[in-house]
Each structure stands twice: as C-alpha cells, then as structure tokens.
Amino acid sequence: MTSETPLQEQPPDHYDAFADAYATANENGLFNRWYARPAVLDLLGDVTGRRILDAGCGSGPLLGDLRERGASVAGFDASPEMIRLAQQRLGDDAALQVADLSQSLPYGDESFDDALAVLVLHYLEDWSGPLQELRRVLKPGGRLVVVVNHPAIPLVMYPEVNYFATVAHEEEYDFGGVSATLTIWYRPLGAMSESFTAAGFRIAAIREPAVSPGTPPELLPSSASDPRRFIGFLFFALEAIA
C-alpha cells in the first residue's frame, strides 16, 4: 500500500513477533551476509582499538564481525527479542541495551569513535533527532556509516510513489516462511543529504557496491547485466564535524 498521508510508525518492539525468523533468514542471505555486511566493513577499514556503536544492531552479526577485527563494541535495538538473540551470539558480558533510536540514547557525549545505522533509519519519518543523537555520542571526526533502502527503488518498483516526497510505503516480506509487513519511509537523496548536514555531518563517501566476491552464485539474481550489481541499498560514510 502506498500513501501520501503518513502512516503510523511501527512500535519499537515490532520485530519481536518475527525476530528469530528474521535473524535466521538473514544469517547467510544475499542482502545481509553477502551485500550489506561486507560493504559496511569495507567502509570502516581497520577498526583495531576503536569503540563502535551499532544503532539498531538486531541479532548482532556486525558487532560480531567488528569484535573479531579488534574493535570494542556496543549495540542497542528497540526490540527486546533482537537484543536477546544478540546476547546469545556475543555473550552475557556484551554491552547491549534495549533502546529506541527515536529517543535520547543512553550513552555519554563523545563516547564512540564510530557508529553504524544499518537498515534502521528508513523505518523513521523524522531523521533529525536520531542523527543529532548519533552525532552527540560520536567524537569529533568520528564516522557514522548509514545504510538505507536505495531512494531509486520506488522509481523501479513503486512508480506511484512520489520520489521527491518523504513517503511511507508498506511492504510485505517473507523470512523463512514467516511473513511480516514493514513500513519503509522513502525520501529523495537530496533530503538525506540535508538531514546529514543539519545534524553536523559531512558526507565522506557514497557507495553502491557490488556483492562480496565470495557470494554463492545460486543466491545472485537472474539478470542480463552483471548480477553482482543491483539497486538495493545506498551506503554513506559520514564524518562528525568538530
């Protein structure tokens, strides 16, 4: 369903109903295991000794990747079930909390070298407060990696959606046989850029990467062009301005 009238945003614990199915489906799925996670790690580069916050960490796969690479990690998610799964993955001593990105974050000013907002901002209509909070907890010069649904998706898949508006779109997903309805807020690239700048960030990089070189061929989409590249997510590396 598409609407120019804002839909009610999903409750913070919306993912609780299908947390296990979501985590299982994405563990080795194309879009997370072979596309988003490798691209985020590539944007971050060497993270040895860096303190990194994962905002909307889900079941914690990126936190696990970063910890293996020598980072000190913390994460939060609005879904208690997701945090339970992340705790199982990372251990009882992992720095995990239930928190809502649309509210004040439970961290001090300039607590982190880097932060991630991977596939979380596009669930929110208003980015101003969340981005300001992420800027607050970052050290000056710190990095924020943002991953969102590509703004060109409506042009390809939902032509009735006004590209130049901030529009809520309900989409049906299947996670290993468990169906879920997610509300994605689409907005144009220019609106994203303005939100980043207003919150105190400088855009250091924008990427539309190919999938990881090791992606199993059977997971790649059928395409007359290069199946390793498709319009999926848009990746930003932002720098916190001093």
Side-chain angles (χ1 to χ4, degrees):
M1 180 178 71
T2 302
S3 174
E4 296 293 338
T5 302
L7 301 175
Q8 183 177 3
E9 290 185 3
Q10 292 149 169
D13 59 356
H14 180 64
Y15 268 79
D16 282 359
F18 51 90
D20 285 284
Y22 177 88
T24 299
N26 285 325
E27 192 68 30
N28 289 296
L30 173 64
F31 292 104
N32 287 74
R33 169 64 179 85
W34 301 103
Y35 180 43
R37 283 165 58 191
V40 169
L41 296 171
D42 184 58
L43 273 171
L44 286 171
D46 183 7
V47 295
T48 304
R50 297 183 72 84
R51 182 159 170 75
I52 301 177
L53 174 68
D54 190 352
C57 64
S59 60
L62 267 171
L63 289 172
D65 292 339
L66 292 167
R67 193 168 65 175
E68 288 178 0
R69 287 162 171 76
S72 172
V73 298
F76 70 88
D77 200 280
S79 164
E81 280 299 299
M82 285 295 188
I83 290 298
R84 178 185 64 82
L85 294 172
Q87 207 85 58
Q88 288 180 353
R89 178 193 299 271
L90 300 169
D92 292 338
D93 60 342
L96 301 170
Q97 298 191 53
V98 175
D100 188 341
L101 184 55
S102 65
Q103 307 296 323
S104 297
L105 298 181
Y107 307 101
D109 295 355
E110 301 182 10
S111 296
F112 298 96
D113 299 299
D114 304 304
L116 313 176
V118 178
L119 304 178
V120 60
L121 282 176
H122 58 211
Y123 294 125
L124 304 175
E125 179 183 10
D126 182 10
W127 284 11
S128 57
L131 287 173
Q132 288 169 10
E133 275 296 281
L134 289 169
R135 172 62 190 88
R136 179 184 65 79
V137 303
L138 278 173
K139 298 176 182 178
R143 300 172 299 176
L144 172 62
V145 173
V146 172
V147 184
V148 293
N149 273 15
H150 200 295
I153 286 177
L155 298 175
V156 177
M157 299 183 63
Y158 314 118
E160 71 277 14
V161 172
N162 180 1
Y163 171 83
F164 293 102
T166 297
V167 178
H169 189 264
E170 287 189 345
E171 301 176 9
E172 299 294 327
Y173 290 82
D174 181 275
F175 302 114
V178 177
S179 61
T181 301
L182 303 180
T183 300
I184 305 295
W185 287 88
Y186 287 103
R187 70 202 71 215
L189 180 60
M192 296 182 189
S193 174
E194 291 169 4
S195 294
F196 297 148
T197 301
F201 290 101
R202 179 184 69 85
I203 298 176
I206 301 176
R207 292 188 183 176
E208 299 166 301
V211 297
S212 173
T215 303
E218 63 271 18
L219 294 181
L220 297 175
S222 300
S223 174
S225 58
D226 186 349
R228 298 171 302 169
R229 306 191 74 97
F230 43 79
I231 294 176
F233 307 142
L234 196 58
F235 297 74
F236 297 89
L238 310 177
E239 180 183 339
I241 299 172

